[in-house]
Amino acid sequence: MTNSANIQKMNDTYLTILNSYGDIVELDFQFDVPSIIDELKSIDKWIDGPNNKKGLTLTGNVNDLELTKRNDCSINDNLKKCPSLLDFFKLWNSLAKCHAVNMNSGSFFRLHRDAYKTAQQMRIFIPLNKTELHEYAFIYDKNIVELKAGRAYMLNTKKQHGSFAMVDDIYHILMGIYINPHNFRVVTDLLTNCTDH
């Protein structure tokens, strides 16, 4: 077996282990939400997206919301203007495309699946504010899931998911993180109620 095949097999094993923790796993990290939202609002590089959404790239090209890039993306100037997010981003050593999203009343993400094929990624989702059901609905595998504002979640986005906004000024962060030994360890260190043996 080639070195590349060995790495792929190891990363597939990590993915299997990560998926065994559950489809939506809360991570033990609390964010300073008011500071993050103020920092995001101060940036003028927001890009209009479909369905009344706006996106702000945090890795890679600041002018490109494309999510299917297969190579590592470095922290960009937009993220550098958000010091309240930087500590969390610096935990990981291999980032895919990451961005902030602003949703207003009527904004939505259609139900979809994220397929990464051979470039296995995990998705970290950070709903920053307005997560109560009268404000925002996150649908996962045909169910509405209540999420806590200011918490990070590891999501299995190979299952159908989407969301709908009923109020204005909703902000959240979507991170694509490549699976490798370092990033696997970061996740396991952030799991709640987990003892290392």
Side-chain angles (χ1 to χ4, degrees), residues 45-62:
K45 292 281 191 176
W46 287 88
I47 300 169
D48 290 330
N51 309 318
N52 198 28
K53 298 186 299 284
K54 291 185 178 181
L56 179 75
T57 64
L58 300 173
T59 59
N61 185 337
V62 296

Side-chain angles (χ1 to χ4, degrees), residues 113-127:
R113 300 173 196 268
D114 298 324
Y116 303 116
K117 300 182 181 170
T118 58
Q120 293 291 3
Q121 296 179 28
M122 65 183 113
R123 174 76 80 198
I124 303 294
F125 178 54
I126 308 164

Side-chain angles (χ1 to χ4, degrees), residues 8-180:
Q8 182 65 44
K9 184 176 178 181
M10 180 180 63
N11 290 344
D12 289 345
T13 300
Y14 289 138
L15 179 63
T16 300
I17 294 168
L18 291 172
N19 286 338
S20 73
Y21 290 123
D23 289 332
I24 302 174
V25 179
E26 183 178 342
L27 302 179
D28 189 17
F29 197 98
Q30 183 65 47
F31 295 86
D32 177 1
V33 171
S35 295
I36 293 170
I37 291 176
D38 286 346
E39 291 162 2
L40 291 172
K41 285 181 175 181
S42 73
I43 300 171
D44 62 2
K45 292 281 191 176
W46 287 88
I47 300 169
D48 290 330
N51 309 318
N52 198 28
K53 298 186 299 284
K54 291 185 178 181
L56 179 75
T57 64
L58 300 173
T59 59
N61 185 337
V62 296
N63 299 311
D64 183 6
L65 282 176
E66 174 59 48
L67 301 178
T68 59
K69 302 266 192 254
R70 298 269 184 238
N71 52 340
D72 281 358
C73 296
S74 57
I75 289 170
N76 66 26
D77 288 340
N78 291 337
L79 183 55
K80 290 174 185 172
K81 294 175 184 172
C82 297
S84 301
L85 273 175
L86 271 175
D87 284 345
F88 189 73
F89 272 75
K90 287 181 176 178
L91 294 175
W92 317 93
N93 71 356
S94 185
L95 296 168
K97 199 66 171 180
C98 303
H99 58 284
V101 175
N102 170 231
M103 299 176 76
N104 291 298
S105 182
S107 299
F108 62 93
F109 280 90
R110 297 179 189 276
L111 290 177
H112 66 284
R113 300 173 196 268
D114 298 324
Y116 303 116
K117 300 182 181 170
T118 58
Q120 293 291 3
Q121 296 179 28
M122 65 183 113
R123 174 76 80 198
I124 303 294
F125 178 54
I126 308 164
L128 291 172
N129 67 340
K130 300 184 182 181
T131 58
E132 294 187 21
L133 287 177
H134 68 280
E135 300 169 313
Y136 174 80
F138 181 76
I139 299 168
Y140 185 85
D141 199 25
K142 301 182 184 177
N143 297 303
I144 293 177
V145 177
E146 292 186 62
L147 302 169
K148 298 174 192 169
R151 301 300 293 191
Y153 294 87
M154 179 179 63
L155 297 179
N156 175 3
T157 55
K158 291 180 178 69
K159 291 189 177 180
Q160 284 196 94
H161 58 284
S163 62
F164 299 87
M166 279 71 80
V167 297
D168 291 341
D169 292 320
I170 294 172
Y171 289 89
H172 53 238
I173 307 296
L174 300 172
M175 298 177 68
I177 298 170
Y178 287 110
I179 295 173
N180 61 37

Side-chain angles (χ1 to χ4, degrees), residues 21 25-28 154 186-194:
Y21 290 123
V25 179
E26 183 178 342
L27 302 179
D28 189 17
M154 179 179 63
V186 172
V187 168
T188 58
D189 286 346
L190 290 173
L191 290 174
T192 58
N193 301 320
C194 188

